């Protein structure tokens, strides 16, 4: 049930990029404004997820967070084709970000708490990969909506959220019990674990900058290279679905090979394919293959980083789930706006190729992350 709800919730995470080519034309947006909308959604999610997660660790109350979160995400996405102007779009993206921040910490913590420690990465990969498949399904649904009714048909996107929210309201645990091992304040937890938190945040930030730039501008890049709007949306679906497969493979491998090895290996393998995406001059088979491979390897580190965070701060499972999942999406919002402004001046190709090299820095930084303490 939680995996299904995760699929629905995350299908709204990247709902804007396939709409962006139409919004650039019909709503008079620029690339910088489109990047700012992504930043609004992702920063709201990144900032609020750890706070909601810490509250869940201490109180154990969480069903309302789950069903309200997925429904709020769906309502925000459904409004994108209906609200007027940049301000309305910003409010819609803010609602989607808050909804995601409500949903993720409690649901991820419940999965981590139930899974046997030696198989935690595998079961987290099952749960998170369900969400990653949702990331890819979202742009596909948008493409279908655009074919049927254009921007005015985005209200249909609220239907899956209503169904998932109803299931969670009726079936999720009312009070699952405290997920944390202590009642320490948030400041105490941060002060006690600041070294590992700073190191992990740095690694997640680098991965997020590369991933969010690709996700935000890949449909627009494909359109510039000659792809029609529906195929541009499908390229993003391929990128995200490949990322879901890569995340599942990385999570399963992490139980055997170790979390850090999987993170470093997936980072380094993603670099050449991202560079190729930026350098290709025409839309074709090579573009599809580069997008798929880039998504697979870049996302192969996501689940391993999440489990690494959960295991590094025992007693704060929900907070670390919110921190790692929120930052994996949210920190990209810090960099995507300036990258969008750079793209306006120098073009999308150089920006895509440049950000594709960032995981090399992440691989180096991973060597300095402290080892997790024993739970």
């Amino acid at each position: 049930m939680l995996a299904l709800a995760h699929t629905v919730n995350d299908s709204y995470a990247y709902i804007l990029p396939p709409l962006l080519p139409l919004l650039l034309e019909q709503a008079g947006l620029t690339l910088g404004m489109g990047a700012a909308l992504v930043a609004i959604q992702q920063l709201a999610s990144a900032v609020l997820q750890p706070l909601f997660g810490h509250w869940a660790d201490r109180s154990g109350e969480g069903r309302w967070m789950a069903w309200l979160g997925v429904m709020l995400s769906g309502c925000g996405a459904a409004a994108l084709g209906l609200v007027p102007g940049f301000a309305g779009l910003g409010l819609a993206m803010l609602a989607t970000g808050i909804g995601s921040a409500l949903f993720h910490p409690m649901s991820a913590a419940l999965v981590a708490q139930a899974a046997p420690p030696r198989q935690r990465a595998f079961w987290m990969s099952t749960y998170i990969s369900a969400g990653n498949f949702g990331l890819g399904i979202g742009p596909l649904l948008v493409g279908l909506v655009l074919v049927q009714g254009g921007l005015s048909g985005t209200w249909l996107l609220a239907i899956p959220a209503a169904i998932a929210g109803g299931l969670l309201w009726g079936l999720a645990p009312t009070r699952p019990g405290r997920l944390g091992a202590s009642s320490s304040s948030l400041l105490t937890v941060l002060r006690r674990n600041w070294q590992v938190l700073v190191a992990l945040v740095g690694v997640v930030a680098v991965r997020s900058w590369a991933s969010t730039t690709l996700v935000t501008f890949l449909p627009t890049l494909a359109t510039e290279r000659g792809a029609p709007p529906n195929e541009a949306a499908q390229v993003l679906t391929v990128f995200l679905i490949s990322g879901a497969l890569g995340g599942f493979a990385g999570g399963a491998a992490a139980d055997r090979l170790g979390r850090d090895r999987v993170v470093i290996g997936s980072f380094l393998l993603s670099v050449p394919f991202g560079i190729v995406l930026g350098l290709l001059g025409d839309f074709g088979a090579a573009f599809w293959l580069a997008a798929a491979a880039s998504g697979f390897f870049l996302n192969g580190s996501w689940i391993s980083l999440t489990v690494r965070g959960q295991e590094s701060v025992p007693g704060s499972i929900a907070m670390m789930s919110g921190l790692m999942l929120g930052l994996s999406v949210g920190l990209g919002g810090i960099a995507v706006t300036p990258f969008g402004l750079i793209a306006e001046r120098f073009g999308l190709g150089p920006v895509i190729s440049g950000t594709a090299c960032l995981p090399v820095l992440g691989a180096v930084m991973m060597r300095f992350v402290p080892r997790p303490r024993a739970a």
Side-chain angles (χ1 to χ4, degrees):
M1 179 191 64
L2 289 169
L4 174 63
H6 198 195
T7 300
V8 173
N9 182 83
D10 283 19
S11 70
Y12 303 118
Y14 296 136
I15 213 74
L16 181 65
L19 294 173
L20 192 55
L22 289 178
L23 291 172
L24 291 173
E25 178 182 351
Q26 297 185 24
L29 299 184
T30 65
L31 286 176
M33 294 171 70
L37 290 172
V38 174
I40 290 171
Q41 175 199 31
Q42 297 187 350
L43 289 175
S45 178
V47 171
L48 294 176
Q49 280 199 46
L51 301 179
F52 288 141
H54 181 70
W55 186 88
D57 281 323
R58 299 187 68 181
S59 69
E61 194 71 54
R63 180 165 70 174
W64 71 269
M65 295 170 63
W67 67 257
L68 178 61
V70 68
M71 293 185 72
L72 192 57
S73 294
C75 290
L80 286 174
L82 308 175
V83 295
F86 179 79
L89 291 169
L91 289 174
M93 294 299 285
L94 179 63
T96 303
I98 294 174
S100 184
L102 282 167
F103 173 79
H104 280 115
M106 176 59 71
S107 58
L110 287 172
V111 175
Q113 187 183 48
R118 291 186 178 181
Q119 294 182 304
R120 183 171 291 153
F122 172 78
W123 287 111
M124 282 300 298
S125 71
T126 302
Y127 162 80
I128 296 179
S129 293
N132 290 343
F133 277 109
L135 298 179
I137 291 172
L140 182 62
L141 293 177
V142 170
L144 296 175
V145 167
L146 293 178
V147 170
Q148 295 299 320
L151 286 173
S152 62
T154 57
W155 67 270
L156 293 167
L157 299 173
I159 296 176
I163 296 173
L167 288 173
L168 289 172
W169 179 82
L171 300 176
T174 303
R175 188 175 180 85
R178 290 193 175 192
L179 299 173
S182 70
S183 58
S184 300
S185 69
L186 179 60
L187 288 178
T188 300
V189 173
L190 295 178
R191 186 167 53 249
R192 186 182 300 150
N193 300 281
W194 70 269
Q195 288 180 309
V196 68
L197 289 173
V198 168
L200 282 173
V201 165
V203 175
V204 171
V206 168
R207 194 205 78 87
S208 298
W209 294 342
S211 177
T212 304
T213 302
L214 275 171
V215 167
T216 301
F217 296 121
L218 188 57
T220 305
L221 179 67
T223 301
E224 288 185 357
R225 298 297 191 259
N230 64 320
E231 290 192 29
Q234 291 169 8
V235 168
L236 182 57
T237 294
V238 167
F239 176 87
L240 294 171
I241 293 295
S242 297
L245 295 173
F248 184 83
D255 284 326
R256 296 187 177 186
L257 303 179
R259 321 305 192 211
D260 293 9
R261 288 181 180 177
V262 170
V263 171
I264 293 171
S266 62
F267 274 176
L268 296 178
L269 288 170
S270 73
V271 173
F273 299 103
I275 293 175
V276 168
L277 271 177
L279 295 179
L280 285 172
D282 296 314
F283 181 78
F287 195 98
W288 287 93
L289 291 173
S294 180
F296 184 90
F297 289 115
L298 188 58
N299 209 48
S301 61
W302 191 354
I303 293 166
S304 297
L305 279 170
T306 301
V307 176
R308 183 71 152 83
Q310 292 172 336
E311 294 173 343
S312 296
V313 187
S316 295
I317 297 176
M319 188 200 76
M320 290 306 298
S321 298
L323 187 69
M324 302 307 294
L325 292 174
L327 290 177
S328 290
V329 177
L331 278 179
I334 296 175
V336 71
T337 299
F339 285 153
L341 296 174
I342 294 171
E344 289 181 3
R345 182 174 179 84
F346 298 103
L348 277 177
V351 169
I352 294 295
S353 293
T355 55
C357 297
L358 287 173
V360 175
L361 176 60
V364 174
M365 294 168 63
M366 195 66 199
R367 303 296 300 174
F368 297 96
V369 178
R371 301 298 304 172
R373 296 183 286 120

